[in-house]
Amino acid sequence: LELTAGRRLAELTGAEAALVTGGCAAALVQTAAACMAGTDLEKIKQLPDSTGMQNEIVIQRAHRNQYDQSFRTAGAKLVEVSTHDELEAAIGPRTCAIAHIAAYEPKGSVKLDEVLVIAHDRNLPVLVDAAAELPPHENLTRFVRMGCDAVMFSGGKGLRGPQSSGLLLGKKWLVEAARLNGCPNHSVGRPMKAGK
């Protein structure tokens, strides 16, 4: 059911792959874990201890909020930046992703299209927390079309699904790794079940 639902959601949104999660926060945990552990079962079992892994997620200071706890729950270390130059300088050998919170783009912050260029020039995924970005329904396809590697939505807000549901859309490799880092697998995301 999980795989079939994911295939259908990918068809509807234009994403390479999709996964129903136990909420947007669960999707953030599973995706952060995927960026650190990938599909390596030993690393998946090791999390949230991310020792020896690429475990840094770069995030703009203006994007910090109570939900970035989800990245840390997976074992990631957050590296704060404020400017374009700081963002580029913060990327190093331990960087596994760049996080972008769609609701927070204040004046002076690095915009998503710029973040995508910086990240993709360095072969890093961009993780977009779009929990509250529905409506408009066009956002279900907009971020994927822009080239975002993983986009997470809340099921219990604009999608009007159960509170214990969320949606991860993105690149096939990343969604597959997130799936392995979540329920029903024995992983950091094991307790984050989506409601039936």
Side-chain angles (χ1 to χ4, degrees):
L1 178 60
E2 180 180 272
L3 295 173
T4 301
R7 282 192 296 271
R8 182 63 179 138
L9 288 165
E11 287 173 12
L12 292 170
T13 62
E16 287 182 16
L19 178 67
V20 175
T21 64
C24 186
L28 295 173
V29 172
Q30 288 176 236
T31 306
C35 291
M36 293 182 289
T39 59
D40 183 319
L41 298 180
E42 290 305 312
K43 287 183 178 178
I44 288 170
K45 282 193 267 182
Q46 181 181 321
L47 290 177
D49 175 3
S50 61
T51 304
M53 300 181 202
Q54 286 179 269
N55 64 355
E56 292 181 355
I57 295 179
V58 178
I59 187 169
Q60 294 182 67
R61 189 166 289 112
H63 289 224
R64 296 292 306 270
N65 64 72
Q66 62 271 30
Y67 295 104
D68 62 36
Q69 173 71 36
S70 298
F71 299 127
R72 291 181 285 129
T73 296
K77 311 295 182 209
L78 296 179
V79 177
E80 279 190 3
V81 297
S82 292
T83 66
H84 186 280
D85 290 343
E86 286 181 10
L87 177 56
E88 288 191 321
I91 297 170
R94 298 190 57 79
T95 307
C96 66
I98 298 176
H100 192 88
I101 314 308
Y104 301 123
E105 279 202 347
K107 186 176 180 181
S109 68
V110 185
K111 303 299 181 201
L112 180 55
D113 55 348
E114 296 174 75
V115 171
L116 286 163
V117 170
I118 294 167
H120 292 165
D121 280 350
R122 291 159 180 82
N123 294 317
L124 289 171
V126 175
L127 317 180
V128 177
D129 177 346
E133 296 306 300
L134 296 172
H137 71 274
E138 291 84 7
N139 281 347
L140 281 169
T141 57
R142 180 173 74 92
F143 296 110
V144 169
R145 283 195 321 269
M146 288 180 73
C148 300
D149 302 277
V151 185
M152 289 72 70
F153 294 96
S154 171
K157 293 184 179 73
L159 284 175
R160 297 185 181 174
Q163 287 297 96
S164 60
S165 67
L167 184 58
L168 165 60
L169 306 173
K171 303 293 185 191
K172 187 173 184 178
W173 72 268
L174 193 47
V175 173
E176 173 59 17
R179 187 182 68 75
L180 291 176
N181 281 278
C183 182
N185 305 296
H186 294 281
S187 62
V188 70
R190 176 70 178 90
M192 301 170 193
K193 299 180 177 88
K196 293 178 182 177

